[in-house]
Structure formats: structure tokens, C-alpha cells
Amino acid sequence: MPHSDLGLLHELRALSILLEERNVTRAAVRFHLSQSSMSRTLQRLRALFADELLVRSGGDYELTPRAREMQRELAQLLPRLESLVAGRGFDPSTATGIVRIVGTDYTTSTLGPHLLPRLLLAAPELEVHIEPRDQDSYADLERGRADIALSVLRPAAPLRWERLFTDDVVCVVDRDHPVRDRFALADYVAARHVVVTLIQREQPMIERWLQTLGHSRTAAVRVAHFSSAFTALPGTALVATIPRRLAELRAATDPRVRLVEAPEGFDAFPYGMVWHTRLESDPMHSWLRDMIRAAAADLTSCRPES
């Protein structure tokens, strides 16, 4: 590709970051430019596209209608253009940049120890961001703001989902909690719960299962992370419902809590990875998916799935 075309690709990358951050200073930090250089880049882009693109609103900017349209197009086009420039090969040993993986602290605690050393050994110059899962995470994949998501929830097209491993849930309680081996459904519903607010202040998988039975549960404490749920349990009668792999890891090192089986009927769930179809043939992304598959295989070999 001619040098002038490479320069345009560089400008388009900068534009994508500017439209995402809506802040020149933050965009400059991400693009490894000074603020003044990023400001000049914005001025060149405005002249190139004959549009303001970003209009100041307080300390940040708002996108013009054309900028919003361009943001959607760039999410589709940039990965393809970058793949063309890089060629079909991908060498992780010389790769630079940022890999953005969306997940919860369940991801970092269970899959992370198998994935992160593998990634950083193979690609020592890559920077890995594991970013929190929320209701906009799949939209971030569609807009190109994240590379891959790790989740139970299967998305609609054009996103793809692939199963990595299976887990189930278990209840975690104070060591002196009166329920011993398994919660009866009536006792589970009557209890007060620690709810991990994964999406819209709920644990969707748990809430949906209860709804199918015509029940709901009472939240006494809501926390943002699974790991935080454990801190609310000692000395209380509260119940936290946690994926088993993570619960076993934490309970093994915290004698203040113990595990009790969840009510019968909680099904095991497949945990998978999600990506956009536009990245299906991208060499870097194919490599990343292979790394995640290998990490999941390591995880399941440590404790085979039932």
C-alpha cells in the first residue's frame, strides 16, 4: 500500500479513537500523541471530510450526525483495512497495541490464570485490557470498541458465540448457616441474598430461572463483583449464588464461608466467547481466539467437566 494510503489509515485510526473517546486529551493518550498533535489531527480530519465531526459540549464533544454514521462504518472497515496492510500473516512476538477483552471477575479468577500468561509470553508487547461486562458490552463489540467478550449470554447476529466450557452455580453462606447440604427451593426464596449486579442490577441467569418457577428473591446487598459477594457473608444469614469454579477457589482459602448446593433444577450453563463476524478471518483475532480456546482447555483439564 502506498505511503499516502498508510497515512490515511493512520488518520482513520485516530478518527475512530476520537469518535469513541469524544475527548481530545483521552484520545491523545490512547493514540500515543501529544494533545496538540491530536488537536491538529482533528483539524485535518475536519478539513478532509468537510464536517465538524466533534462539537464541543462542556469538557467533551458531541458527535455530529455524519460523525455518528462514520463511527458505524469505521467499526466495519478498519479491521479489514488493517488486515490488508498487515497481510495474511500475524506474528505475535512482534505485535503491539491493545487487546480488549470484556468479562467479569469470574473471567479473571478462573480463565485468567490460564490465559494471561499464555498471551503475554507469546506476545510480550501487547497490552491486555480486561474490561467490565455490562448491558452495552455487545454493542461495544459491534462498534469495534472491544475485541472479544466472555459471557454466558448468547448474542444475536452479527455476533458469534462459541462454547468454551461448562460450569454450574452453588450457594455460598457463612460457615454457621443452618442450611447444611442443599437449599430447598422454599428456603432459598425465603432467604435474603447478596446479588451480583452483572446487568441491570441483577444476575440475569438466576433471576430468569426463578421467574420460570413463578418466584423471585429478596436482595439484601447488591455488589458489582463476585469477589465482593464473599465479604458480605461472614456473620450473616445471607446467601450468595456464585459459579462453582470461582466459589470453590474462594472457599478453599476463606474458612469463614462454606458451600451449599443450590436448589435442584439449576442447570449447568455453557460459558463462551463472543466476537463480531467481521473479525472472523482477521489473523490477529484468529490467534486471540485460539489462545482463549487453549486456556479454556487448560482450565477444564484441571477440573474436568461433569
Side-chain angles (χ1 to χ4, degrees):
M1 183 174 285
H3 178 76
S4 60
D5 291 340
L6 288 174
L8 177 58
L9 178 58
H10 183 82
E11 299 280 77
L12 291 176
R13 288 172 178 151
L15 175 60
S16 178
I17 291 174
L18 278 163
L19 298 183
E20 179 181 332
E21 294 293 344
R22 304 185 186 193
N23 179 285
V24 173
T25 301
R26 292 197 299 267
V29 170
R30 276 188 56 186
F31 207 59
H32 305 292
L33 287 179
S34 67
Q35 183 174 352
S36 59
S37 294
M38 185 56 84
S39 294
R40 289 194 294 272
T41 298
L42 176 58
Q43 293 305 317
R44 288 196 300 272
L45 289 164
R46 284 169 165 164
L48 176 64
F49 293 107
D51 188 87
E52 281 296 295
L53 302 174
L54 296 165
V55 180
R56 185 174 291 279
S57 174
D60 288 348
Y61 293 84
E62 294 295 330
L63 273 59
T64 66
R66 187 173 186 202
R68 287 195 295 271
E69 180 182 350
M70 292 175 68
Q71 187 177 40
R72 291 191 294 270
E73 293 295 329
L74 285 170
Q76 300 283 338
L77 291 174
L78 269 181
R80 296 174 184 172
L81 291 172
E82 289 171 343
S83 180
L84 285 172
V85 172
R88 299 310 302 163
F90 171 72
D91 183 0
S93 67
T94 59
T96 59
I98 298 173
V99 169
R100 289 182 170 81
I101 301 173
V102 174
T104 65
D105 60 328
Y106 172 77
T107 302
T108 55
S109 297
T110 57
L111 192 61
H114 303 275
L115 175 61
L116 294 177
R118 186 184 301 274
L119 284 179
L120 297 176
L121 179 64
E125 299 303 316
L126 273 185
E127 185 176 339
V128 181
H129 291 190
I130 298 182
E131 301 179 345
R133 175 89 172 88
D134 60 33
Q135 62 188 5
D136 295 324
S137 294
Y138 286 173
D140 288 341
L141 289 176
E142 293 186 356
R143 291 194 295 262
R145 298 180 64 175
D147 297 300
I148 209 154
L150 301 170
S151 176
V152 175
L153 302 177
R154 302 193 186 202
L159 300 181
R160 286 202 57 188
W161 185 94
E162 178 183 318
R163 177 190 174 280
L164 294 172
F165 58 87
T166 299
D167 205 349
D168 64 348
V169 295
V170 66
C171 296
V172 187
V173 297
D174 177 75
R175 64 186 177 189
D176 296 323
H177 195 284
V179 173
R180 304 313 301 171
D181 298 323
R182 180 185 292 276
F183 270 98
L185 179 60
D187 292 333
Y188 182 85
V189 171
R192 289 166 60 80
H193 294 259
V194 181
V195 174
V196 183
T197 56
L198 298 176
I199 298 177
Q200 295 181 334
R201 303 188 70 245
E202 301 289 354
Q203 283 175 262
M205 184 173 61
I206 308 300
E207 315 310 336
R208 289 172 187 170
W209 182 79
L210 288 171
Q211 286 171 10
T212 64
L213 300 175
H215 293 291
S216 61
R217 58 178 179 164
T218 300
V221 178
R222 295 183 188 270
V223 295
H225 306 287
F226 286 111
S227 55
S228 301
F230 290 85
T231 65
L233 297 170
T236 76
L238 299 177
V239 180
T241 309
I242 306 290
R244 188 181 298 272
R245 292 179 188 274
L246 176 57
E248 289 178 346
L249 285 173
R250 289 297 303 265
T253 60
D254 190 344
R256 301 173 302 166
V257 299
R258 61 184 178 84
L259 307 185
V260 176
E261 293 300 318
E264 292 185 0
F266 270 112
D267 292 331
F269 59 88
Y271 196 76
M273 60 177 169
V274 183
W275 68 94
H276 198 285
T277 52
R278 69 172 176 274
L279 298 173
E280 186 70 27
S281 301
D282 178 76
M284 189 283 285
H285 203 274
S286 295
W287 169 83
L288 176 60
R289 297 195 303 270
D290 285 343
M291 291 291 102
I292 294 173
R293 291 183 186 109
D298 282 353
L299 174 63
T300 55
S301 68
C302 294
R303 183 172 71 80
E305 299 179 7
S306 56

